[in-house]
Amino acid sequence: MQAEGNKTIEGRFELLVQSVTDYAIYMLDPTGIVTSWNAGAERFKGYAPEEIIGQHFSRFYGEDDRAAGIPARALATAASEGRFEAEGWRYRKDGARFWANVVIDPVRTPDGELVGFAKVTRDLSARREAEERLRRSEERFRLLVQSVKDYAIYMLDLDGHVTSWNAGAERFKGYRAEEIIGQHFSRFYLEEDREAGTPERALRTARENCRFEAEGWRVRKDGSRFWASVVIEAVRGDAGNLIGFAKITRDLSERKRSEEALEQAQRAFFQFQKMEAIGQLTGGVAHDFNNLLAAIMGSADLAKRNLAQGKDITRFLDNVIEAAQRGATLTQRMLSFARKQELKLEAVDLTQLVRGMAELLERTIGTGIAIDTQFPLILKRVHADPAQLELALLNLAVNARDAMPEGGRILISAQAATAGPNSGLVAGEYVCLSVADEGSGMDEETLAKASEPFFTTKGIGKGTGLGLSMVVGMAGQFGGKTELKSKAGEGTTVTLWLPVAGDESPRAPASTPSHVPAARRERSLTILAVDDDDIVLVNTAAMLSDLGHTVHKASSGREALRLLARERIDLLITDYAMPDMNGSELAEAVQAGWRDVPILVISGYAELPVGLKLRFRRLSKPFVQEELEGAIAEVVPDQTATVLPFRSLS
């Protein structure tokens, strides 16, 4: 019964072995001859049992391994040590090789006699391939990291000691790998950062948040500093345990310098924008003020004419009063002069100009201040607007007086000068006109801000801070520049570089109308006057009516177009700056529908679009009746005054 039971157990065991397909399990005799073969062995190696049983197991080894005696050593090791285990290449029947894990156990009888070997082989080709891919990937990554020179990439242990070092780290920090591996990474920080615990805080943040990122100054081996972008990443093992840190550093010194340069440029640009905004503001206010002056001058002129004829002048006086009241309000908000004001440039004799201002200066400055002048016997004339230049000198003299509350001396002087290529001016001859005082002067910080609009060192209500900025802008418009020199306790000197006018005769700008009255026309015109300012419109219409013309009034461009569609018009006179549709847009619309209607553009601005200036006659505000009459005579000569019908664009 026991023998039958043993046979049953052996049968079951053999059935179990034969059913295993993931392992090659077979027996060898003491010499290595195959004596059994299971399904797994057939699947791995490709041999059917009848093909391999009776063959030596060494055929599964490569030729080199057989020549080296490895199969025999494997059996000897199993016999002597009780077990042999190894991994290596094995061969299938078709010659293909696979990576195998091999275990050989000796099989002995109860009395210890060796009767053979049990051999178990497992195909690990897939695992081997995965490991090889991982190894190659790691090798490529290692080579990649080592070859990177634009980033310092290195590892830290849990305490912050350097454990690896790439070429970029050596290039940035100056240490070779053998000099720095094993050292604490805190040596790259500034002394004050180490004292503040910044390195430790960086590691703590990376440990707690898995990442730390910052920018700051770091130190090279030679002690020089560089601006760095730093990232520290926590590195964890397969089980999630922290095993160290990966640290990446990039040298951003060049970017830092660029950012600082950009920031400086932005500050300068914002300052320029502020100055430009102030210029636009004052230009707009000056335009409104010119409207008021046009009304005042025109109304006063008409009042004078009507008074001489015994007519009622009440409406003209009301216009003057209303315009003056509006002007007083504007004055509180207005810059003294903007860079858009109308200039009347001509050749100016500085000696005569200052001599002519002597009484005004003495009356304005008052007692306690002596005014001296120092001019050469011969001084060339300068290209300037005499009225603006007089006001600039007056402003500078008042500033000089205010800097000397205890009294002192103001020196107004002039001398010839030549501007070179690096002077900031067009190379050529200039005259330097200077106003110097013996006052308190300015320190460097105050001097740097002195020419800014609204900056003043005077008390509240004692100065607007616009005088010097006006002088700077005016000199620039003349084609010159302003120099300001001052030291605390040593006084101030303001010098205007004014271009020499040469031998040309004094002349006004081309857009300045002649003041010579035009001859009265033989026939009147039907004129459409357009202006969004009611006072200016009433005044212009009154001037035109007084000249004998028939006047239609419009307060906007669209209203003007409606009137043109209904009325026969000989001349359009329009303001330039109007809401919704400006004078340029109105002129274009009139040219399209009524091409032969002459156009006269009126503006308080010095600058108009180039195309508009070239195509239409311009009259600057403020103006008097004679100037208006002369402009009309230029635009519509008396013998060519005609009435033209509307011509459809379709």
Side-chain angles (χ1 to χ4, degrees), residues 501-518:
D503 297 328
E504 67 207 36
S505 300
R507 54 184 174 86
S511 61
T512 303
S514 171
H515 288 264
V516 179

Side-chain angles (χ1 to χ4, degrees), residues 505-579:
S505 300
R507 54 184 174 86
S511 61
T512 303
S514 171
H515 288 264
V516 179
R520 290 288 174 172
R521 305 181 70 89
E522 293 183 3
R523 62 182 291 277
S524 64
L525 302 174
T526 299
I527 299 176
L528 174 56
V530 188
D531 202 304
D532 63 309
D533 191 299
D534 290 338
I535 295 178
V536 177
L537 182 58
V538 168
N539 205 68
T540 302
M543 288 184 185
L544 294 169
S545 295
D546 188 64
L547 291 171
H549 302 300
T550 300
V551 184
H552 295 282
K553 295 181 290 185
S555 58
S556 69
R558 302 195 183 281
E559 184 181 352
L561 292 175
R562 288 194 292 269
L563 279 167
L564 274 164
R566 298 196 311 262
E567 305 291 340
R568 297 161 62 87
I569 301 300
D570 297 317
L571 172 65
L572 171 69
I573 299 179
T574 179
D575 185 34
Y576 174 72
M578 296 186 295

Side-chain angles (χ1 to χ4, degrees), residues 18 24-29 32-61 66 91-94 119 121:
Q18 288 298 328
I25 304 174
Y26 53 99
M27 296 292 293
L28 305 175
D29 70 11
I33 300 298
V34 177
T35 59
S36 71
W37 197 249
N38 80 331
E42 184 175 349
R43 187 172 73 85
F44 286 175
K45 313 220 182 215
Y47 295 95
E50 60 270 22
E51 294 177 299
I52 199 64
I53 291 176
Q55 302 295 320
H56 199 274
F57 85 109
S58 61
R59 68 166 48 198
F60 308 136
Y61 286 76
R66 289 197 299 269
Y91 287 82
R92 308 184 200 276
K93 177 185 175 181
D94 61 5
K119 191 169 187 293
T121 303

Side-chain angles (χ1 to χ4, degrees), residues 485-500:
K485 296 181 180 179
S486 184
K487 284 188 178 180
E490 297 183 15
T492 300
T493 300
V494 181
T495 301
L496 305 182
W497 284 67
L498 304 172
V500 167

